[in-house]
Amino acid sequence: DAGVIQSPRHEVTEMGQEVTLRCKPISGHNSLFWYRQTMMRGLELLIYFNNNVPIDDSGMPEDRFSAKMPNASFSTLKIQPSEPRDSAVYFCASRHGQNNQPQHFGDGTRLSIL
Amino acid sequence: GIQVEQSPPDLILQEGANSTLRCNFSDSVNNLQWFHQNPWGQLINLFYIPSGTKQNGRLSATTVATERYSLLYISSSQTTDSGVYFCAVDRAGNQFYFGTGTSLTVIP
C-alpha cells in the first residue's frame, strides 16, 4: 500500500515567492496533519484536519501560512509570501479514525527560502 | 501542552551493543509512538505503544502509562540504526507532542 505522499521533496525559491506543498494521505485515513521541523523548535504541529475540516490551526505561525483540504485525498500548505525563516522540513501525516490510532508520516518536503 | 523529555540526548554505541532510550511525559496520554528519523530525514514509525510491551525484531518498547514513561530497547545495534529517535504523545487525538529526540550513532 502507498504511504503518505508529499511533493515536492525539495523546494528552493527566493523570498517573496509563493510556495505550495502538497500531500496525499493514505487512502481511508480521515485525519491529516501538517508539521514543521526546524533545528530551533524541533517538530511542531501546524494544522490538523478531520474529515477535510480544519480542526486546530493554532500552530500556524502567521497569516502568510494557509492550508486547505478540498477532498479526502489531497491537501495543500501554502506560504505567501515566503521568507528565509520559513526554511524547514515540512511533514504531512495521516491517521485512520480520530483517536487511538498511529500517525503515518510522509517523507517530508525540504524547503529552502533564499 | 504535554512536556516530553527524552534521554539521553546523544548516544554513541559500538556495533553489536545494546541500549535503552527513555521518554518521560508530563500528563496522561492516549497515544504514544516511537519514530526513527534516518539520515535522509524520513520519519519511520517504529511502534505505536500507548501501553504495554511490543517487540519487532531487534527492537522492543515498553510503556508504563501510569508512571508516564516509555522505553525503547535496541539490541545488537547496527550502523543502520544510526539517526534520531523521537517519542511523540497525544492526549485528545489532535495534538502530537514530540520530544527533542535521542541522537544515536553506531560505529563499526
Side-chain angles (χ1 to χ4, degrees):
Chain A
D1 290 338
V4 176
I5 299 173
Q6 292 187 245
S7 65
R9 288 297 312 277
H10 304 272
E11 174 91 9
V12 180
T13 191
E14 293 185 347
M15 65 177 292
Q17 298 297 308
E18 178 178 289
V19 172
T20 299
L21 310 182
R22 297 172 175 78
C23 176
K24 177 178 169 56
I26 293 173
S27 178
H29 284 193
N30 60 345
S31 295
L32 184 140
F33 306 80
W34 282 101
Y35 292 87
R36 179 171 67 175
Q37 185 178 30
T38 61
M39 288 294 293
M40 291 295 293
R41 300 174 67 89
L43 276 151
E44 51 183 350
L45 179 70
L46 299 178
I47 187 169
Y48 150 63
F49 292 86
N50 189 50
N51 293 324
N52 312 339
V53 176
I55 303 300
D56 184 356
D57 65 354
S58 59
M60 297 285 264
E62 301 174 30
D63 291 345
R64 299 184 295 107
F65 285 70
S66 62
K68 294 182 179 179
M69 193 165 185
N71 57 62
S73 59
F74 183 66
S75 177
T76 59
L77 178 67
K78 190 172 292 188
I79 309 173
Q80 168 63 23
S82 58
E83 296 183 3
R85 58 194 170 120
D86 302 330
S87 299
V89 181
Y90 291 80
F91 287 99
C92 176
S94 71
R95 179 179 64 198
H96 176 71
Q98 196 161 0
N99 285 314
N100 302 327
Q101 295 291 331
Q103 292 191 23
H104 299 265
F105 280 73
D107 287 345
T109 294
R110 185 173 297 274
L111 177 64
S112 297
I113 309 297
L114 307 178
Chain B
I2 303 175
Q3 306 302 312
V4 182
E5 296 181 355
Q6 291 186 243
S7 60
D10 299 282
L11 187 58
I12 299 175
L13 295 176
Q14 198 77 38
E15 196 169 28
N18 303 328
S19 64
T20 300
L21 281 56
R22 187 176 179 103
C23 171
N24 292 333
F25 42 96
S26 62
D27 205 343
S28 59
V29 298
N30 290 330
N31 298 303
L32 187 147
Q33 284 182 251
W34 282 97
F35 295 91
H36 174 216
Q37 189 164 37
N38 62 24
W40 294 270
Q42 296 170 310
L43 276 168
I44 310 300
N45 190 4
L46 297 177
F47 293 102
Y48 172 71
I49 187 165
S51 63
T53 296
K54 290 186 178 179
Q55 181 154 7
N56 185 4
R58 296 181 296 103
L59 302 182
S60 65
T62 295
T63 297
V64 184
T66 53
E67 298 188 18
R68 299 180 185 170
Y69 74 88
S70 184
L71 302 174
L72 178 69
Y73 306 96
I74 304 174
S75 64
S76 304
S77 58
Q78 301 176 358
T79 56
T80 52
D81 295 332
S82 296
V84 182
Y85 290 79
F86 289 102
C87 167
V89 303
D90 85 70
R91 182 172 48 221
N94 59 359
Q95 170 66 289
F96 228 13
Y97 297 92
F98 279 83
T100 53
T102 292
S103 179
L104 174 64
T105 302
V106 181
I107 54 177

